[in-house]
Amino acid sequence: MKPVKVGVCGLGTVGSGTVNVLRRNAEEITRRTGRPIIVEQIGARRDNPDCDTTGINITRDIFDVVNNPEIDVVVELIGGYDIARELVLKAIENGKHVVTANKALIAVHGNEIFAAAREQGVVVAYEAAVAGGIPVIKGIREGLTANKINWLAGIINGTGNYIMTQMRDYGRDFADVLQEAQELGYAEADPTFDVEGIDAAHKLTILSSVAFGIPLQFDKAYTEGISKITPLDIEQADELGYIIKHLGIARRTDKGVELRVHPTLIPKDRLIANVHGVLNAVMVQGDAVGPTMYYGPGAGAEPTASSVIADIVDVARTMNTEYGERVPPLAFTEESLDEDSGILPMEDVETAYYLRLHAVDRPGVLARVASILSEKGISIEAIIQKEDKESEMVPIILLTHNAQEKLMNEAIREIESLVDICSEVVRIRVESLD
Amino acid sequence: MKPVKVGVCGLGTVGSGTVNVLRRNAEEITRRTGRPIIVEQIGARRDNPDCDTTGINITRDIFDVVNNPEIDVVVELIGGYDIARELVLKAIENGKHVVTANKALIAVHGNEIFAAAREQGVVVAYEAAVAGGIPVIKGIREGLTANKINWLAGIINGTGNYIMTQMRDYGRDFADVLQEAQELGYAEADPTFDVEGIDAAHKLTILSSVAFGIPLQFDKAYTEGISKITPLDIEQADELGYIIKHLGIARRTDKGVELRVHPTLIPKDRLIANVHGVLNAVMVQGDAVGPTMYYGPGAGAEPTASSVIADIVDVARTMNTEYGERVPPLAFTEESLDEDSGILPMEDVETAYYLRLHAVDRPGVLARVASILSEKGISIEAIIQKEDKESEMVPIILLTHNAQEKLMNEAIREIESLVDICSEVVRIRVESLD
């Protein structure tokens, strides 16, 4: 069969990884695909010393690539929102299939991009946008087609998981680990996207759409970062049988879809609680299959390239197929996407909670806290009150049963207003994931 | 689009699960597939009270189904070798696509079946044959296309993993747990296929073909069961930082492909070491992606149905596609399958070992054992010698570095011939999985 001709836009980490792997494993890939995948052109502002581009046409203008009539598939690896959007829409307009690793682009502009792709009858594939090298989009879109998916939960930001792992293993502070991670190149100079959960929310938005058949709704995602987590909370969680992970959680409920990224206590014996360092994992619970999990490297040049190339091969296999016989971009056919299924405001979400308060060590404090919770209908599962002979202040740790976030917010405000409570109440959500 | 008409052969656990899930999730599945999946006919010797077959044509002769001109896809869920083979070959001859959950059939007769399917231009899909509901065949065949896969290792028999987990958690004997598992219906009356590793070897054979692009070679797989594992070994492994799992391992080496099922010590901190009970997991290591893992229920009515239906939907999407543009049955195009890449005989495999011996508590025993190993070039990583005040016999535990199986066999024979060694040497292989 005829070779598939690819144009790669962007020659950073993932771009060079993609070109390198396509070259190194050309024979293996052709044996699988039944036809060669040829990099016809690369568009990049500068060369990359990690990438052997011998024999490949290089242009400094990425728009040359999308306008090149020889090219079947445009691979967008420049990142960011605006130019990437323009580039991808232009490629689609020119009748080219698109493969992208850009989570921000898909989460924010995906609905528009998929509509344009449908009009032109081309494929837009984005496996690499979620959890790097793990084929989790394929797993959900194709592997779990038979299921009504109830919920999914993922460790989908490697930097955040690296920081949480270091904090737990060595009792270190967040700021300290972050600084080291930046020095080692694991974290960006501006770490906001990673540690504040925005990157995870991009990926979670995409996962929720392919799981539940709803349009992409990034602006409705609740996002909370890990910068306020302390070694003390990690230690207390451990004593209670939990590990704290920064999770993206999407759940289908009668009232709407939960879409939330926040630090979460999960029982230590859950498999996902044992996913450490920069690795990623996504649990998906379907009504027929039960719990499944997909694990692997969530970032890096070659892991991400692995997914980019898998997408290119998928495109090669379906470019001659009728549009309606291809896997729909968001797993469900466009006309069946559930436009009415709203994202539940965080205030309406129900979950269990870990609370940590610092109180003056006087009789009656705990009783007053318990009574506030009880008035809101929040029941307590466990209490740890620590002795501290050095100080008049004692930390009190509470685990609650499920409660509505709105009522918990009210309870926390009332607790904080008690005279014997000396600082803000630390609140971390708890999920059993069973 | 036109509905896809399915004929289900076999109405046991998986057959009834498939019919039930297709009915319950019909709307969800149609929203994904873009066309309904209709069960046109069921062939089964008897009805199943767990399955609502209202409105479905039922025949007692499964061959009616493969001869029914209305049917597009035959779903083979009768199990076993001979009749299943005949049924599937007849279906192919009649131009029907086939979906099967039958690991024995694919492992033993797959090469013949895929050749026939190619001739007729039909699809034979078998996701449900390996690891039940986990989309691991899809993960390897399509998700990891970019990779040269180096090795894979899986817990691919739920019954065996349940037994090993119970033995470890409660210090119970193999025979005791097996009997209970049989009473609970987790293990068959004749447990040979599960506990002796034959079922796992079927699945491993299939995994190795899709990972490395080699023909199915079940007869070359090395198979060792778990019936000789004792609570003492599990405890000793634990002390050394390991868990014993019954693993299927396939590895590409310069000398050939390793294909082996046996109890294995793996470091406790590996994610797969934390896969307990009836659950399954497969680790796959690709040169670009690194380590990945796929986890979930490896058996059961609806988990297996989940994979069967995912295959039916895949068939629906590619039945109008040219043969060469479909995913090849064994991941690599037929003409590129590596017929010469032999399976390495077990004697040539290199791995690390755990050895347990019982010796008379006399000076010099350990020195003689160490010198036998040293003469074979086998170096020792750790030794535990237990005190036992009650007995003159002491257990000695050894961990070795990598050694060739053949040399280890020789060393064990020599050790067993020492006068101070009182029983057979227990030998369990050790894998680091990194």
Side-chain angles (χ1 to χ4, degrees):
Chain A
M1 279 189 290
K2 265 195 353 187
V4 174
K5 293 187 180 172
V6 170
V8 175
C9 297
L11 202 59
T13 308
V14 179
S16 69
T18 301
V19 174
N20 288 341
V21 174
L22 277 172
R23 189 184 293 265
R24 186 176 76 229
N25 289 350
E27 189 198 331
E28 195 96 0
I29 293 167
T30 307
R31 284 178 61 204
R32 291 201 181 89
T33 315
R35 57 205 291 190
I37 312 280
I38 306 280
V39 180
E40 179 75 15
Q41 190 173 36
I42 295 171
R45 268 176 301 183
R46 61 187 78 85
D47 292 342
N48 186 331
D50 295 336
C51 186
D52 176 6
T53 56
T54 315
I56 303 173
N57 176 311
I58 304 220
T59 168
R60 295 292 170 222
D61 180 358
I62 48 174
F63 283 85
D64 287 351
V65 177
V66 301
N67 292 320
N68 183 338
E70 287 296 311
I71 284 171
D72 304 305
V73 186
V74 169
V75 180
E76 183 278 301
L77 300 171
I78 59 170
Y81 300 91
D82 295 341
I83 300 178
R85 171 177 165 275
E86 201 187 323
L87 185 84
V88 164
L89 289 174
K90 187 70 190 167
I92 292 169
E93 190 190 315
N94 290 347
K96 306 206 182 294
H97 305 284
V98 173
V99 171
T100 176
N102 190 334
K103 56 223 80 165
L105 178 73
I106 296 297
V108 175
H109 299 299
N111 297 326
E112 177 191 15
I113 288 170
F114 296 137
R118 187 188 190 183
E119 198 128 312
Q120 293 291 326
V122 297
V123 181
V124 175
Y126 55 88
E127 179 68 78
V130 179
I134 311 171
V136 64
I137 295 295
K138 183 174 281 284
I140 299 175
R141 285 206 316 186
E142 304 172 39
L144 303 182
T145 353
N147 293 266
K148 184 158 195 283
I149 291 169
N150 296 314
W151 57 264
L152 58 87
I155 296 172
I156 43 182
N157 181 277
T159 308
N161 200 43
Y162 170 82
I163 293 173
M164 296 297 293
T165 304
Q166 288 283 314
M167 287 178 71
R168 173 164 178 268
D169 289 355
Y170 304 103
R172 295 170 65 189
D173 280 328
F174 171 80
D176 177 29
V177 180
L178 174 61
Q179 196 192 329
E180 190 196 67
Q182 286 171 319
E183 283 161 15
L184 290 169
Y186 291 173
E188 308 279 339
D190 175 0
T192 318
F193 260 52
D194 289 324
V195 304
E196 294 306 336
I198 302 162
D199 175 75
H202 284 146
K203 295 165 182 166
L204 181 69
T205 300
I206 299 171
L207 287 169
S208 69
S209 285
V210 299
F212 307 137
I214 55 175
L216 296 152
Q217 295 166 76
F218 169 68
D219 53 329
K220 307 262 181 61
Y222 173 82
T223 306
E224 186 179 309
I226 54 173
S227 52
K228 288 181 184 159
I229 300 293
T230 65
L232 176 59
D233 294 313
I234 292 172
E235 201 188 304
Q236 294 303 321
D238 185 73
E239 238 174 80
L240 290 159
Y242 292 87
I243 282 184
I244 306 179
K245 289 290 183 189
H246 200 199
L247 289 191
I249 299 170
R251 190 190 310 264
R252 179 146 44 178
T253 78
D254 293 341
K255 294 180 290 175
V257 170
E258 297 178 9
L259 195 60
R260 47 195 173 104
V261 174
H262 52 67
T264 314
L265 269 75
I266 48 179
K268 274 186 215 174
D269 62 359
R270 296 290 176 274
L271 194 62
I272 197 170
N274 296 291
V275 172
H276 301 306
V278 295
L279 287 149
N280 280 199
V282 181
M283 285 189 74
V284 186
Q285 214 278 355
D287 70 337
V289 72
T292 62
M293 197 177 91
Y294 310 85
Y295 161 89
E302 294 210 353
T304 311
S306 173
S307 285
V308 166
I309 296 168
D311 272 351
I312 296 172
V313 173
D314 274 358
V315 170
R317 287 195 173 123
T318 54
M319 50 202 279
N320 297 326
T321 307
E322 299 263 332
Y323 187 85
E325 294 190 338
R326 293 184 195 144
V327 182
L330 292 177
F332 294 74
T333 59
E334 286 85 344
E335 54 279 10
S336 81
L337 286 182
D338 186 353
E339 306 277 346
D340 302 327
S341 185
I343 305 299
L344 208 58
M346 193 61 200
E347 290 240 305
D348 293 336
V349 166
E350 282 187 22
T351 176
Y353 295 85
Y354 160 102
L355 303 177
R356 177 166 58 79
L357 14 149
H358 277 256
V360 179
D361 192 7
R362 254 200 296 258
V365 181
L366 202 55
R368 280 191 293 279
V369 169
S371 112
I372 290 172
L373 290 170
S374 158
E375 278 162 27
K376 303 289 173 194
I378 302 169
S379 59
I380 296 170
E381 195 192 315
I383 298 182
I384 305 180
Q385 184 162 3
K386 291 276 164 183
E387 297 239 354
D388 189 342
K389 285 168 191 156
E390 312 271 301
S391 160
E392 290 195 334
M393 249 93 83
V394 288
I396 300 172
I397 313 293
L398 293 154
L399 273 191
T400 77
H401 287 288
N402 267 16
Q404 200 189 23
E405 178 97 357
K406 188 171 169 236
L407 296 173
M408 181 53 80
N409 290 344
E410 291 171 8
I412 288 175
R413 272 195 296 273
E414 289 186 32
I415 292 169
E416 287 176 342
S417 71
L418 293 174
V419 303
D420 289 336
I421 300 296
C422 325
S423 62
E424 270 188 20
V425 172
V426 171
R427 165 246 311 271
I428 311 177
R429 296 167 191 91
V430 181
E431 293 286 338
S432 62
L433 301 184
D434 58 3
Chain B
M1 279 189 289
K2 264 193 359 185
V4 174
K5 293 188 178 171
V6 170
V8 176
C9 297
L11 202 59
T13 309
V14 179
S16 69
T18 301
V19 174
N20 288 341
V21 174
L22 277 172
R23 189 183 293 267
R24 187 177 75 229
N25 289 349
E27 188 198 331
E28 194 95 0
I29 294 167
T30 307
R31 284 178 62 204
R32 289 201 182 88
T33 315
R35 57 205 290 189
I37 311 280
I38 306 280
V39 180
E40 179 76 15
Q41 191 173 34
I42 295 172
R45 267 175 303 181
R46 60 187 76 86
D47 292 341
N48 186 328
D50 295 335
C51 187
D52 175 7
T53 55
T54 317
I56 303 173
N57 176 311
I58 305 221
T59 168
R60 295 292 169 222
D61 181 358
I62 47 175
F63 283 85
D64 286 351
V65 177
V66 302
N67 291 321
N68 182 337
E70 287 296 312
I71 283 171
D72 304 305
V73 186
V74 169
V75 180
E76 183 277 300
L77 301 171
I78 60 171
Y81 300 90
D82 296 342
I83 302 179
R85 172 179 164 275
E86 203 186 323
L87 184 83
V88 164
L89 289 174
K90 188 71 190 168
I92 292 169
E93 191 189 314
N94 290 346
K96 308 207 181 293
H97 306 284
V98 174
V99 172
T100 177
N102 190 332
K103 56 223 80 166
L105 177 73
I106 296 297
V108 175
H109 299 298
N111 297 325
E112 178 191 15
I113 288 168
F114 296 137
R118 186 189 190 184
E119 200 128 311
Q120 293 292 327
V122 297
V123 181
V124 175
Y126 55 86
E127 179 67 79
V130 179
I134 310 171
V136 63
I137 296 294
K138 182 173 282 286
I140 299 174
R141 286 206 314 186
E142 304 173 39
L144 303 183
T145 354
N147 292 266
K148 185 159 195 284
I149 291 170
N150 296 312
W151 57 264
L152 58 87
I155 296 172
I156 43 182
N157 181 276
T159 308
N161 200 43
Y162 171 81
I163 294 172
M164 297 296 292
T165 303
Q166 288 283 315
M167 288 177 70
R168 175 165 178 267
D169 288 356
Y170 305 103
R172 295 170 63 189
D173 280 329
F174 170 79
D176 178 27
V177 180
L178 174 61
Q179 197 193 328
E180 190 196 66
Q182 286 171 319
E183 284 161 13
L184 291 170
Y186 292 172
E188 308 279 340
D190 176 0
T192 317
F193 260 52
D194 290 325
V195 304
E196 294 306 337
I198 302 161
D199 174 76
H202 284 146
K203 295 166 184 167
L204 182 69
T205 299
I206 299 172
L207 287 169
S208 70
S209 285
V210 299
F212 308 137
I214 55 175
L216 295 152
Q217 295 166 75
F218 169 69
D219 54 327
K220 307 263 180 62
Y222 173 81
T223 306
E224 187 180 309
I226 54 172
S227 53
K228 287 180 184 162
I229 299 293
T230 64
L232 177 60
D233 294 313
I234 293 173
E235 200 186 305
Q236 293 304 321
D238 185 72
E239 237 173 82
L240 290 159
Y242 292 87
I243 282 184
I244 306 179
K245 290 289 182 189
H246 199 199
L247 289 190
I249 299 170
R251 190 191 310 264
R252 179 144 49 175
T253 77
D254 293 343
K255 294 179 289 175
V257 170
E258 297 178 8
L259 194 61
R260 48 193 172 103
V261 174
H262 52 67
T264 314
L265 270 76
I266 48 180
K268 274 187 215 174
D269 63 358
R270 296 289 177 274
L271 194 62
I272 197 169
N274 296 291
V275 172
H276 302 306
V278 294
L279 287 150
N280 280 201
V282 182
M283 284 189 75
V284 185
Q285 214 277 354
D287 70 337
V289 72
T292 62
M293 197 177 91
Y294 310 84
Y295 161 88
E302 295 209 353
T304 311
S306 173
S307 284
V308 168
I309 296 168
D311 273 351
I312 297 172
V313 172
D314 273 358
V315 170
R317 288 195 172 122
T318 53
M319 50 201 281
N320 297 325
T321 307
E322 299 263 331
Y323 187 84
E325 294 192 337
R326 294 183 195 146
V327 182
L330 292 178
F332 293 74
T333 59
E334 286 85 343
E335 55 279 10
S336 79
L337 286 182
D338 186 354
E339 306 276 347
D340 302 326
S341 185
I343 305 298
L344 208 58
M346 194 60 200
E347 290 240 306
D348 293 337
V349 166
E350 281 187 23
T351 176
Y353 295 86
Y354 160 103
L355 303 176
R356 176 166 58 79
L357 12 148
H358 277 254
V360 179
D361 192 7
R362 255 199 295 260
V365 181
L366 203 54
R368 279 192 292 278
V369 169
S371 114
I372 290 172
L373 290 170
S374 156
E375 278 162 28
K376 303 289 173 193
I378 301 169
S379 59
I380 297 170
E381 193 192 315
I383 297 180
I384 305 180
Q385 184 162 2
K386 291 277 165 185
E387 296 240 354
D388 188 342
K389 286 170 189 152
E390 312 272 300
S391 161
E392 291 196 335
M393 250 92 84
V394 289
I396 300 173
I397 314 293
L398 293 153
L399 274 191
T400 77
H401 288 286
N402 267 18
Q404 198 190 25
E405 179 96 358
K406 186 170 174 239
L407 296 173
M408 182 53 80
N409 290 343
E410 292 171 10
I412 287 174
R413 273 195 296 272
E414 289 185 32
I415 292 169
E416 286 175 342
S417 72
L418 293 174
V419 305
D420 289 335
I421 299 296
C422 325
S423 62
E424 270 188 21
V425 173
V426 172
R427 167 245 312 268
I428 310 176
R429 296 167 192 91
V430 182
E431 292 288 337
S432 63
L433 301 184
D434 58 4

